[in-house]
Amino acid sequence: MENKTIDYHLRATWQALSRAYNEEAAKQGGSMSVGFVLLSVDKEGTPSTSLGPKMGIESTSLTRTLKTMEEKGLIFRKKNPNDGRGVLVFLTPLGKEKRDIAKQGVMQFDKVVRENISPAKITTFLEVMNKINQLITEKKIYKE
């Protein structure tokens, strides 16, 4: 494992986590994407255009996910009163129930990781992840 790239470890871990989240979400008739939307929608409504960047998914995938969620009665959409061109996404009562379940799943993951890894190692991990994110954001890896 030491010979593998940092990229490999990040991707392999994300894929494993994604698979685990999808398995849990499937028990509720959902997916990881649905869970992320549920966790990303504010009580006051969230502009649909801000969900994609917040979640790191493409607009076509988000549109499909929102359509499915609307059909399942998890969300509803209303015109944005501050921007006539925009749409706000709100959770239905069922969506709020499912959000609580999704939140429990994320908290369970966090709890088990923290029970099995020392606080010092968690702190170091978060520092490293933040630094990697900063390097990417500041375009220090692939310069324009």
Side-chain angles (χ1 to χ4, degrees):
M1 287 296 250
E2 293 173 10
N3 295 334
K4 306 249 187 229
T5 63
I6 292 167
D7 168 77
Y8 170 85
H9 289 287
L10 288 170
R11 282 183 298 112
T13 302
W14 176 248
Q15 288 171 349
L17 178 57
S18 177
R19 201 170 26 256
Y21 276 160
N22 273 314
E23 287 172 8
E24 282 303 303
K27 294 175 185 175
Q28 297 293 322
S31 67
M32 183 178 75
S33 294
V34 168
F36 278 172
V37 170
L38 292 170
L39 293 169
S40 299
V41 173
D42 299 328
K43 291 178 183 173
E44 307 82 33
T46 300
S48 58
T49 53
S50 73
L51 286 171
K54 207 183 227 189
M55 297 169 47
I57 65 171
E58 297 297 321
S59 61
T60 49
S61 297
L62 178 61
T63 300
R64 199 170 31 251
T65 300
L66 292 176
K67 184 176 188 286
T68 300
M69 292 177 74
E70 203 164 25
E71 289 168 357
K72 290 183 175 187
L74 299 171
I75 63 164
F76 64 95
R77 302 182 231 196
K78 284 171 46 173
K79 281 195 176 249
N80 187 336
N82 300 324
D83 177 5
R85 300 166 297 156
V87 174
L88 294 176
V89 177
F90 294 87
L91 298 180
T92 65
L94 177 61
K96 290 175 185 174
E97 283 178 37
K98 297 293 185 178
R99 176 181 51 201
D100 290 342
I101 294 168
K103 185 176 180 181
Q104 288 171 7
V106 171
M107 298 309 290
Q108 176 69 14
F109 170 80
D110 196 71
K111 177 180 178 256
V112 171
V113 169
R114 288 179 187 280
E115 287 173 352
N116 287 277
I117 300 174
S118 73
K121 286 185 178 182
I122 295 281
T123 298
T124 300
F125 169 77
L126 295 174
E127 288 170 356
V128 169
M129 294 302 290
N130 285 330
K131 185 61 178 182
I132 290 171
N133 198 28
Q134 179 185 0
L135 290 169
I136 294 166
T137 301
E138 293 175 358
K139 302 202 182 289
K140 291 186 175 178
I141 296 174
Y142 303 110
K143 299 178 181 172
E144 293 179 20

